Amino acid sequence: AFRGTLEMDGIVDLTKGSEYEFYGELKDALLEEYAARHIPDQRNMKGVVNGWLLVNGDGDSAAKLNGSGQLRIAPAALYEVPVVLEMLSALSSLQFAVPNRAAFDYALMSFKIRDEAFEFEPIDLVGDSLALRGRGRVGFGGDVYLDFFSRPPVSNNPFKNLIVNSTTSLVTVQVRGTTSNPQTTRGTRKFDDSMREFFGAFEPRPGAPVPTLNI
């Protein structure tokens, strides 16, 4: 599968009609292979993809599809993805440091599937000069409702870290619209207790190992 391996296991319970449950795990696939086949106009998308997905449902109705999973791309050249491109453009307009076209050291997304949508929490996009944590939903029809929050990554400079830790606001980018035509709104958000809980242990450091998947 896209130069990697896809392993699947599943069951369909015919005694209950058409209830099913499937588990899939993708190992070391290449994002550029997927892009060449399905989105050939985005030629600079690259990265090694690992992920897992567990879904269950009944029949062929998307409304009855539920599940959860994770997706990790490392390194993650995602600059041409419309949602990412629009978001980085918004940050750049705020004189915020943005990465080069390689974009990120890694992207790590955890999600649930319900109500005909992928519900992401969190989405971590981490590079040398920019770290973003996001959350929200993307509907099966392509509608987007995502919020991203940015703070400078933790560095090896204690003085710089003191400035970061004393920051009381976050740069925010709201992404709405559709996956093919996203629209952004820029702003700030107070770094309060709810944001501290959302960020949790998210303190990316330059050169730190890429997080593992939590299967």
Side-chain angles (χ1 to χ4, degrees):
F2 309 109
R3 301 280 183 95
T5 303
L6 176 63
E7 299 176 352
M8 295 187 67
D9 189 18
I11 186 170
V12 178
D13 191 342
L14 299 178
T15 64
K16 296 183 179 180
S18 55
E19 291 186 4
Y20 61 85
E21 184 172 56
F22 283 94
Y23 173 78
E25 190 169 341
L26 183 63
K27 300 178 180 179
D28 298 326
L30 299 182
L31 181 60
E32 53 265 39
E33 292 288 325
Y34 176 87
R37 186 177 304 181
H38 296 289
I39 40 179
D41 59 322
Q42 297 180 17
R43 300 178 180 178
N44 293 320
M45 290 176 57
K46 297 180 180 179
V48 178
V49 183
N50 288 271
W52 63 271
L53 175 69
L54 177 66
V55 296
N56 61 77
D58 186 1
D60 59 2
S61 172
K64 296 183 179 181
L65 180 66
N66 295 281
S68 58
Q70 284 185 302
L71 187 68
R72 186 187 68 196
I73 308 171
L78 304 175
Y79 195 88
E80 290 189 358
V81 177
V83 170
V84 176
L85 178 60
E86 184 71 15
M87 184 172 58
L88 294 181
S89 297
L91 289 170
S92 179
S93 69
L94 289 173
Q95 288 78 50
F96 205 84
V98 298
N100 59 26
R101 283 186 174 269
F104 301 103
D105 295 333
Y106 69 86
L108 178 60
M109 292 156 272
S110 300
F111 59 87
K112 295 186 181 299
I113 302 173
R114 57 190 173 196
D115 299 329
E116 300 187 59
F118 293 91
E119 298 181 354
F120 293 96
E121 186 168 341
I123 303 172
D124 291 340
L125 303 173
V126 176
D128 288 339
S129 59
L130 179 65
L132 297 163
R133 171 159 277 198
R135 60 187 174 189
R137 71 186 300 277
V138 176
F140 288 178
D143 54 300
V144 174
Y145 190 97
L146 298 170
D147 294 325
F148 287 90
F149 309 89
S150 176
R151 300 180 77 204
V154 176
S155 74
N156 296 321
N157 184 327
F159 180 72
K160 183 177 180 180
N161 288 337
L162 180 63
I163 296 175
V164 171
N165 292 331
S166 64
T167 300
T168 58
S169 63
L170 304 165
V171 176
T172 67
V173 180
Q174 295 181 336
V175 187
R176 305 293 187 262
T178 65
T179 52
S180 60
N181 185 29
Q183 307 294 321
T184 58
T185 302
R186 304 169 297 276
T188 59
R189 166 72 185 266
K190 183 179 179 181
F191 192 57
D192 53 19
D193 289 342
S194 64
M195 282 289 96
R196 288 188 178 89
E197 182 179 355
F198 175 60
F199 272 82
F202 181 64
E203 291 186 351
R205 298 175 181 270
V210 175
T212 59
L213 297 175
N214 182 26
I215 302 177

